[in-house]
Amino acid sequence: MTTDTTGTAARDGEPRSGGPADSPFVRACRREPGPHTPVWFMRQAGRSLPEYREIRANVPMLESCRRPDLVTEITLQPVRRHGVDAAILFSDIVVPVAAAGIDLDIVPGTGPVVAEPVRTAVDVERINPIGRDDVSYVDEAVRLLVAELGDTPLIGFAGAPFTLASYMVEGGPSRTHAKTKALMYGDPELWHALCARLAEVTLAFLRVQVDAGVSAVQLFDSWAGALSEADYRRYVLPHSAHVLAGLNEAGVPRIHFGVGTAELLGAMGEAGADVVGVDWRTPLDVATRRIGPDRAVQGNLDPAVLLAPWEVVEGQVRRILDQGRAAPGHVFNLGHGVLPETDPEVLTRVVALVHELSARPAA
Ligand code: CP3
């Protein structure tokens, strides 16, 4: 018998056990068996929690992302309350772009709003490279969190080039992404220059988080589902692939997620993900056929189902766990973020139910 630094006994010849790298969440991402199906929720830290609303009451969103004490407390809130298998850093996809020099704000009820949208080559030049000193508050928050979380893994994240480009070009949230697509089709050279810049910002932001100790990263391409597969492959995939390949040596699982991506699931996996996030529109067994045997899946309860009676929630959780058994690894999650009106008690019950239904006897 050997004893590792966490004091957990490990049998000779077996990998060291204990610590976040051996958690059910990281094991599922690596397609390794674990004691139960791990579960966390996109936007688990947020307005569904009264303790979040209280701490954020007089602090604007971007300011809260730049205060390591607040980031740490808000990130820990859903871990304490729900017993989820992973924490996700409290931040926003536009935080690194603001650090890169773009004047923007996050407006409550709207989302990111950019003061001067990026539409010309000169505008693209305004997006500066970033390093650790530009986001030192993230470095500090991750270190504080890793120390607090113990064996619970912390997920770092960033926005993928397409989704960030959409906010930069539109100047704010958009239903059609019309200006973004007009630039993409009308001036491919400028489009690729913009995405290449954003990819460097994203990669640098993720490297800061990895160096500070996150156990996994999620690349959010939330709005990629607005594109056909052909256009995704031509205009977007190379830039997301650059980000994901830049983390090849980092040794942490990479999750890649978007909404409405049924037609893109295979391509998003090929971009270099270890885990592909699936929204509620595609059953996980169907998604697995599209993604192939070499990647795990994450998802995919419709967040709106959490507003339905408990019997409905329970039935949907059972279905998703059953369909997830077709995948070589399954991380239970929602198909998109927690809705603010969700009763947090229901989230806690879902965590317990996933753990109970998926419990596997120790090998
Ligand atoms: O718990 C977590 O998931 C971590 C926190 C997190 C936030 N934003 C906090 C946040 C994460 C992972 C994000 C990523 C993010 N931000 C994405 C990708 C994920 C997704 O939802 O697809 C996108 C597209 C954004 C841009 C953005 N920021 C939007 C659309 C909004 C909502 C605007 C609103 O008020 O409805 C934000 C603001 C934001 N980011 C909030 C939170 C908790 C709400 C701000 C508040 O509480 O006042």
Side-chain angles (χ1 to χ4, degrees), residues 24-68:
F25 166 73
V26 172
R27 293 185 69 92
C29 291
R30 295 195 198 286
R31 311 188 307 282
E32 294 166 3
H36 59 255
T37 300
V39 47
W40 68 280
F41 305 111
M42 291 183 278
R43 289 278 169 91
Q44 62 191 18
R47 280 172 292 183
S48 67
L49 301 184
E51 59 269 35
Y52 170 84
R53 295 196 296 268
E54 190 184 328
I55 200 170
R56 278 286 325 281
N58 295 307
V59 191
M61 178 67 190
L62 272 178
E63 187 189 328
S64 66
C65 296
R66 292 174 180 144
R67 284 182 47 186

Side-chain angles (χ1 to χ4, degrees), residues 40-47 52-53 56 59-61 65 74-75 78 87-94 106-112 157-159 163 167 173 218 220-223 257-259 336-338 340:
W40 68 280
F41 305 111
M42 291 183 278
R43 289 278 169 91
Q44 62 191 18
R47 280 172 292 183
Y52 170 84
R53 295 196 296 268
R56 278 286 325 281
V59 191
M61 178 67 190
C65 296
I74 294 171
T75 301
I88 180 160
L89 178 73
F90 179 76
S91 188
D92 195 85
I93 57 168
V94 295
I106 300 177
V107 178
T110 300
F157 75 91
T163 293
Y167 284 110
Q218 177 154 327
F220 281 95
D221 210 351
S222 302
W223 313 141
F257 167 79
V259 185
H336 200 184
V338 174

Side-chain angles (χ1 to χ4, degrees), residues 48 81-82 306-307 338-348:
S48 67
R81 186 191 259 265
H82 303 309
L306 296 170
L307 311 178
V338 174
L339 298 168
E341 60 268 45
T342 306
D343 175 355
E345 307 268 330
V346 177
L347 291 169
T348 308

Side-chain angles (χ1 to χ4, degrees), residues 239-298:
H239 301 288
S240 298
H242 178 78
V243 175
L244 294 167
L247 299 171
N248 275 343
E249 311 304 317
V252 299
R254 294 156 291 189
I255 310 168
H256 196 187
F257 167 79
V259 185
T261 55
E263 300 299 326
L264 307 182
L265 290 170
M268 289 182 76
E270 285 171 43
D274 302 292
V275 184
V276 178
V278 182
D279 82 2
W280 62 92
R281 295 172 179 87
T282 313
L284 292 181
D285 50 345
V286 175
T288 295
R289 285 201 289 279
R290 293 179 184 178
I291 294 161
D294 299 330
R295 304 172 211 283
V297 297
Q298 176 173 279

